[in-house]
Amino acid sequence: MDLSFFQSQTAQQLRAEGRAEGRAEGRAEGRAEGQAKALLLLLGHRGVEVGDGDRERIVGCGDPEELDEWFKRALTAGSMAEVFEGGVG
């Protein structure tokens, strides 16, 4: 069985691209996880009641941009509806 492909420049490039994509995904996941924790901490500090479903929605959100938006809204929101729906201000 010829295994020379696995040593080829194409195979090496594909492996490098895969590693880079994996690192980027890991950073995005780590960032989203940190943002979710910060958002929950802020909401708790402000006394905004976070139900189990809302907590799951926040923790399950993998979109850093959406989490950023929720965090901004949470700075002044009085309820989770305002955080999610943008009803602040």
Side-chain angles (χ1 to χ4, degrees):
M1 175 180 268
D2 181 16
L3 301 177
S4 60
F5 170 78
F6 295 102
Q7 298 298 321
S8 71
Q9 187 169 352
T10 300
Q12 290 176 13
Q13 182 178 355
L14 289 172
R15 282 193 295 274
E17 288 174 10
R19 283 191 296 269
E21 286 179 21
R23 284 191 297 271
E25 287 176 15
R27 282 192 301 270
E29 288 173 6
R31 178 178 171 208
E33 183 180 329
Q35 288 173 296
K37 287 179 182 180
L39 176 56
L40 291 169
L41 181 64
L42 172 64
L43 292 165
H45 180 72
R46 295 202 58 245
V48 177
E49 186 174 331
V50 181
D52 290 340
D54 295 332
R55 183 176 305 280
E56 288 177 22
R57 183 174 177 185
I58 291 169
V59 171
C61 181
D63 182 355
E65 292 175 12
E66 186 166 31
L67 287 161
D68 278 343
E69 188 62 34
W70 290 346
F71 188 89
K72 290 174 195 173
R73 293 177 191 160
L75 292 169
T76 57
S79 70
M80 288 308 301
E82 292 176 358
V83 171
F84 291 139
E85 296 168 13
V88 177

CSV table of all heavy atoms in Angstrom, one decimal, residues 14-52:
chain,number,residue,atom,x,y,z
A,14,LEU,N,-3.1,20.4,4.2
A,14,LEU,CA,-4.5,20.1,4.8
A,14,LEU,C,-4.4,19.9,6.3
A,14,LEU,O,-5.3,20.4,7.0
A,14,LEU,CB,-5.0,18.8,4.1
A,14,LEU,CG,-5.4,19.0,2.6
A,14,LEU,CD1,-5.7,17.6,2.0
A,14,LEU,CD2,-6.6,19.9,2.5
A,15,ARG,N,-3.4,19.2,6.8
A,15,ARG,CA,-3.3,19.1,8.2
A,15,ARG,C,-3.1,20.4,8.9
A,15,ARG,O,-3.7,20.7,9.9
A,15,ARG,CB,-2.1,18.2,8.6
A,15,ARG,CG,-2.5,16.7,8.4
A,15,ARG,CD,-1.4,15.8,9.1
A,15,ARG,NE,-0.1,15.9,8.4
A,15,ARG,CZ,0.3,15.2,7.3
A,15,ARG,NH1,-0.5,14.3,6.8
A,15,ARG,NH2,1.5,15.3,6.8
A,16,ALA,N,-2.3,21.3,8.3
A,16,ALA,CA,-2.0,22.6,8.9
A,16,ALA,C,-3.3,23.5,8.9
A,16,ALA,O,-3.7,24.1,9.9
A,16,ALA,CB,-1.0,23.4,8.1
A,17,GLU,N,-4.1,23.4,7.8
A,17,GLU,CA,-5.4,24.1,7.8
A,17,GLU,C,-6.3,23.6,8.8
A,17,GLU,O,-7.1,24.3,9.5
A,17,GLU,CB,-6.0,24.0,6.4
A,17,GLU,CG,-5.3,24.8,5.3
A,17,GLU,CD,-5.8,24.6,3.9
A,17,GLU,OE1,-6.8,23.9,3.8
A,17,GLU,OE2,-5.1,25.0,3.0
A,18,GLY,N,-6.4,22.3,9.0
A,18,GLY,CA,-7.2,21.7,10.0
A,18,GLY,C,-6.9,22.1,11.4
A,18,GLY,O,-7.7,22.4,12.2
A,19,ARG,N,-5.6,22.1,11.7
A,19,ARG,CA,-5.1,22.6,13.0
A,19,ARG,C,-5.5,24.1,13.2
A,19,ARG,O,-6.0,24.4,14.3
A,19,ARG,CB,-3.6,22.4,13.1
A,19,ARG,CG,-3.2,21.0,13.4
A,19,ARG,CD,-1.8,20.8,13.8
A,19,ARG,NE,-0.9,21.3,12.8
A,19,ARG,CZ,-0.4,20.5,11.8
A,19,ARG,NH1,-0.7,19.2,11.8
A,19,ARG,NH2,0.5,20.9,10.9
A,20,ALA,N,-5.3,24.9,12.2
A,20,ALA,CA,-5.7,26.3,12.3
A,20,ALA,C,-7.2,26.5,12.6
A,20,ALA,O,-7.6,27.3,13.4
A,20,ALA,CB,-5.2,27.1,11.1
A,21,GLU,N,-8.0,25.8,11.8
A,21,GLU,CA,-9.4,25.9,12.0
A,21,GLU,C,-9.8,25.4,13.4
A,21,GLU,O,-10.7,26.0,14.1
A,21,GLU,CB,-10.2,25.0,11.0
A,21,GLU,CG,-10.2,25.6,9.6
A,21,GLU,CD,-10.9,24.7,8.6
A,21,GLU,OE1,-11.7,23.9,9.0
A,21,GLU,OE2,-10.6,24.9,7.4
A,22,GLY,N,-9.2,24.4,13.9
A,22,GLY,CA,-9.5,23.9,15.2
A,22,GLY,C,-9.1,24.9,16.3
A,22,GLY,O,-9.9,25.1,17.3
A,23,ARG,N,-8.0,25.5,16.1
A,23,ARG,CA,-7.6,26.5,17.1
A,23,ARG,C,-8.5,27.7,17.1
A,23,ARG,O,-8.9,28.2,18.1
A,23,ARG,CB,-6.1,27.0,16.8
A,23,ARG,CG,-5.1,26.0,17.3
A,23,ARG,CD,-3.7,26.6,17.3
A,23,ARG,NE,-3.3,27.0,15.9
A,23,ARG,CZ,-2.6,26.2,15.1
A,23,ARG,NH1,-2.3,24.9,15.5
A,23,ARG,NH2,-2.3,26.6,13.9
A,24,ALA,N,-8.9,28.1,15.9
A,24,ALA,CA,-9.9,29.3,15.8
A,24,ALA,C,-11.2,28.9,16.4
A,24,ALA,O,-11.8,29.7,17.1
A,24,ALA,CB,-10.1,29.7,14.3
A,25,GLU,N,-11.7,27.7,16.2
A,25,GLU,CA,-13.0,27.3,16.8
A,25,GLU,C,-12.9,27.2,18.3
A,25,GLU,O,-13.7,27.7,19.0
A,25,GLU,CB,-13.4,26.0,16.2
A,25,GLU,CG,-13.9,26.0,14.8
A,25,GLU,CD,-14.3,24.7,14.2
A,25,GLU,OE1,-14.4,23.7,15.0
A,25,GLU,OE2,-14.4,24.6,13.0
A,26,GLY,N,-11.7,26.8,18.8
A,26,GLY,CA,-11.5,26.7,20.2
A,26,GLY,C,-11.5,28.0,20.9
A,26,GLY,O,-12.0,28.2,21.9
A,27,ARG,N,-10.8,29.0,20.2
A,27,ARG,CA,-10.8,30.4,20.7
A,27,ARG,C,-12.2,31.0,20.8
A,27,ARG,O,-12.6,31.6,21.7
A,27,ARG,CB,-9.9,31.2,19.9
A,27,ARG,CG,-8.4,31.0,20.2
A,27,ARG,CD,-7.5,32.1,19.6
A,27,ARG,NE,-7.7,32.2,18.2
A,27,ARG,CZ,-6.9,31.5,17.3
A,27,ARG,NH1,-6.0,30.7,17.7
A,27,ARG,NH2,-7.1,31.7,16.0
A,28,ALA,N,-13.0,30.8,19.7
A,28,ALA,CA,-14.3,31.3,19.6
A,28,ALA,C,-15.2,30.7,20.7
A,28,ALA,O,-16.0,31.3,21.4
A,28,ALA,CB,-15.0,31.1,18.3
A,29,GLU,N,-15.1,29.4,20.9
A,29,GLU,CA,-15.8,28.7,22.0
A,29,GLU,C,-15.4,29.2,23.3
A,29,GLU,O,-16.3,29.4,24.2
A,29,GLU,CB,-15.7,27.2,21.8
A,29,GLU,CG,-16.4,26.6,20.6
A,29,GLU,CD,-16.0,25.1,20.4
A,29,GLU,OE1,-15.4,24.5,21.3
A,29,GLU,OE2,-16.5,24.6,19.4
A,30,GLY,N,-14.1,29.3,23.5
A,30,GLY,CA,-13.7,29.8,24.8
A,30,GLY,C,-14.1,31.2,25.1
A,30,GLY,O,-14.5,31.6,26.2
A,31,ARG,N,-14.1,32.0,24.0
A,31,ARG,CA,-14.5,33.4,24.2
A,31,ARG,C,-16.0,33.5,24.5
A,31,ARG,O,-16.4,34.2,25.4
A,31,ARG,CB,-14.3,34.2,22.9
A,31,ARG,CG,-14.8,35.6,22.9
A,31,ARG,CD,-14.5,36.3,21.7
A,31,ARG,NE,-15.1,37.6,21.7
A,31,ARG,CZ,-15.5,38.3,20.6
A,31,ARG,NH1,-15.3,37.8,19.4
A,31,ARG,NH2,-16.1,39.4,20.7
A,32,ALA,N,-16.8,32.7,23.8
A,32,ALA,CA,-18.3,32.6,24.1
A,32,ALA,C,-18.6,32.1,25.5
A,32,ALA,O,-19.4,32.7,26.2
A,32,ALA,CB,-19.0,31.8,23.0
A,33,GLU,N,-17.8,31.1,25.9
A,33,GLU,CA,-18.0,30.6,27.3
A,33,GLU,C,-17.7,31.7,28.3
A,33,GLU,O,-18.5,31.9,29.3
A,33,GLU,CB,-17.1,29.4,27.5
A,33,GLU,CG,-17.3,28.8,28.9
A,33,GLU,CD,-16.4,27.5,29.0
A,33,GLU,OE1,-16.1,26.9,28.0
A,33,GLU,OE2,-16.0,27.3,30.2
A,34,GLY,N,-16.6,32.4,28.1
A,34,GLY,CA,-16.3,33.5,29.0
A,34,GLY,C,-17.3,34.6,29.0
A,34,GLY,O,-17.6,35.2,30.1
A,35,GLN,N,-17.8,34.9,27.9
A,35,GLN,CA,-18.8,36.0,27.8
A,35,GLN,C,-20.1,35.6,28.5
A,35,GLN,O,-20.8,36.4,29.1
A,35,GLN,CB,-19.1,36.3,26.3
A,35,GLN,CG,-18.0,37.0,25.6
A,35,GLN,CD,-18.3,37.2,24.1
A,35,GLN,OE1,-18.4,36.2,23.4
A,35,GLN,NE2,-18.5,38.4,23.7
A,36,ALA,N,-20.5,34.3,28.3
A,36,ALA,CA,-21.7,33.8,29.0
A,36,ALA,C,-21.5,33.9,30.5
A,36,ALA,O,-22.5,34.3,31.2
A,36,ALA,CB,-22.0,32.4,28.5
A,37,LYS,N,-20.4,33.5,31.0
A,37,LYS,CA,-20.2,33.6,32.4
A,37,LYS,C,-20.2,35.0,32.9
A,37,LYS,O,-20.8,35.3,34.0
A,37,LYS,CB,-18.8,33.0,32.8
A,37,LYS,CG,-18.8,31.5,32.7
A,37,LYS,CD,-17.4,30.9,33.0
A,37,LYS,CE,-17.3,29.4,32.9
A,37,LYS,NZ,-16.0,28.9,33.2
A,38,ALA,N,-19.6,36.0,32.2
A,38,ALA,CA,-19.6,37.4,32.5
A,38,ALA,C,-21.0,37.9,32.5
A,38,ALA,O,-21.4,38.7,33.4
A,38,ALA,CB,-18.7,38.2,31.6
A,39,LEU,N,-21.8,37.5,31.5
A,39,LEU,CA,-23.2,38.0,31.4
A,39,LEU,C,-24.0,37.5,32.6
A,39,LEU,O,-24.8,38.3,33.2
A,39,LEU,CB,-23.8,37.5,30.1
A,39,LEU,CG,-25.3,37.8,29.9
A,39,LEU,CD1,-25.6,39.3,30.0
A,39,LEU,CD2,-25.7,37.3,28.5
A,40,LEU,N,-23.9,36.2,32.9
A,40,LEU,CA,-24.6,35.7,34.1
A,40,LEU,C,-24.2,36.4,35.4
A,40,LEU,O,-25.0,36.7,36.3
A,40,LEU,CB,-24.4,34.2,34.2
A,40,LEU,CG,-25.1,33.4,33.1
A,40,LEU,CD1,-24.7,32.0,33.1
A,40,LEU,CD2,-26.6,33.5,33.2
A,41,LEU,N,-22.9,36.7,35.5
A,41,LEU,CA,-22.4,37.3,36.7
A,41,LEU,C,-23.0,38.8,36.8
A,41,LEU,O,-23.4,39.2,37.9
A,41,LEU,CB,-20.9,37.4,36.7
A,41,LEU,CG,-20.2,38.1,37.8
A,41,LEU,CD1,-20.4,37.3,39.1
A,41,LEU,CD2,-18.7,38.2,37.6
A,42,LEU,N,-23.0,39.5,35.7
A,42,LEU,CA,-23.6,40.8,35.7
A,42,LEU,C,-25.1,40.8,36.0
A,42,LEU,O,-25.5,41.6,36.8
A,42,LEU,CB,-23.4,41.4,34.3
A,42,LEU,CG,-24.1,42.8,34.0
A,42,LEU,CD1,-23.5,43.9,34.9
A,42,LEU,CD2,-24.0,43.2,32.6
A,43,LEU,N,-25.8,39.9,35.4
A,43,LEU,CA,-27.2,39.8,35.7
A,43,LEU,C,-27.5,39.5,37.2
A,43,LEU,O,-28.3,40.1,37.8
A,43,LEU,CB,-27.9,38.7,34.8
A,43,LEU,CG,-27.9,39.1,33.3
A,43,LEU,CD1,-28.3,37.9,32.5
A,43,LEU,CD2,-29.0,40.2,33.1
A,44,GLY,N,-26.7,38.6,37.7
A,44,GLY,CA,-26.8,38.3,39.2
A,44,GLY,C,-26.5,39.4,40.0
A,44,GLY,O,-27.2,39.7,41.0
A,45,HIS,N,-25.5,40.2,39.7
A,45,HIS,CA,-25.1,41.3,40.5
A,45,HIS,C,-26.1,42.4,40.4
A,45,HIS,O,-26.4,43.1,41.4
A,45,HIS,CB,-23.7,41.9,39.9
A,45,HIS,CG,-23.2,43.1,40.7
A,45,HIS,ND1,-22.7,43.0,41.9
A,45,HIS,CD2,-23.2,44.4,40.3
A,45,HIS,CE1,-22.4,44.2,42.3
A,45,HIS,NE2,-22.6,45.1,41.4
A,46,ARG,N,-26.8,42.6,39.3
A,46,ARG,CA,-27.8,43.6,39.1
A,46,ARG,C,-29.2,43.1,39.7
A,46,ARG,O,-30.1,43.9,39.7
A,46,ARG,CB,-28.0,43.9,37.6
A,46,ARG,CG,-26.7,44.6,37.1
A,46,ARG,CD,-26.9,45.4,35.8
A,46,ARG,NE,-27.9,46.5,36.1
A,46,ARG,CZ,-29.1,46.5,35.6
A,46,ARG,NH1,-29.5,45.6,34.7
A,46,ARG,NH2,-30.0,47.5,35.9
A,47,GLY,N,-29.3,41.9,40.1
A,47,GLY,CA,-30.5,41.4,40.6
A,47,GLY,C,-31.6,41.0,39.6
A,47,GLY,O,-32.8,40.9,39.9
A,48,VAL,N,-31.2,40.8,38.4
A,48,VAL,CA,-32.1,40.4,37.3
A,48,VAL,C,-32.3,38.9,37.4
A,48,VAL,O,-31.3,38.1,37.4
A,48,VAL,CB,-31.6,40.8,35.9
A,48,VAL,CG1,-32.5,40.2,34.8
A,48,VAL,CG2,-31.4,42.3,35.8
A,49,GLU,N,-33.5,38.5,37.6
A,49,GLU,CA,-33.9,37.1,37.7
A,49,GLU,C,-33.6,36.3,36.4
A,49,GLU,O,-34.2,36.7,35.4
A,49,GLU,CB,-35.3,36.9,38.2
A,49,GLU,CG,-35.7,35.4,38.5
A,49,GLU,CD,-37.1,35.3,39.0
A,49,GLU,OE1,-37.6,36.3,39.7
A,49,GLU,OE2,-37.7,34.2,38.9
A,50,VAL,N,-32.8,35.3,36.5
A,50,VAL,CA,-32.5,34.5,35.3
A,50,VAL,C,-33.0,33.1,35.5
A,50,VAL,O,-32.6,32.3,36.4
A,50,VAL,CB,-30.9,34.4,35.1
A,50,VAL,CG1,-30.6,33.5,33.9
A,50,VAL,CG2,-30.3,35.8,35.0
A,51,GLY,N,-34.0,32.7,34.8
A,51,GLY,CA,-34.7,31.4,34.9
A,51,GLY,C,-33.8,30.3,34.3
A,51,GLY,O,-32.8,30.6,33.5
A,52,ASP,N,-34.1,29.1,34.5
A,52,ASP,CA,-33.3,28.0,33.9
A,52,ASP,C,-33.3,28.0,32.4
A,52,ASP,O,-32.2,27.8,31.8
A,52,ASP,CB,-33.9,26.6,34.4
A,52,ASP,CG,-33.7,26.4,35.9
A,52,ASP,OD1,-32.8,27.0,36.5
A,52,ASP,OD2,-34.5,25.5,36.4
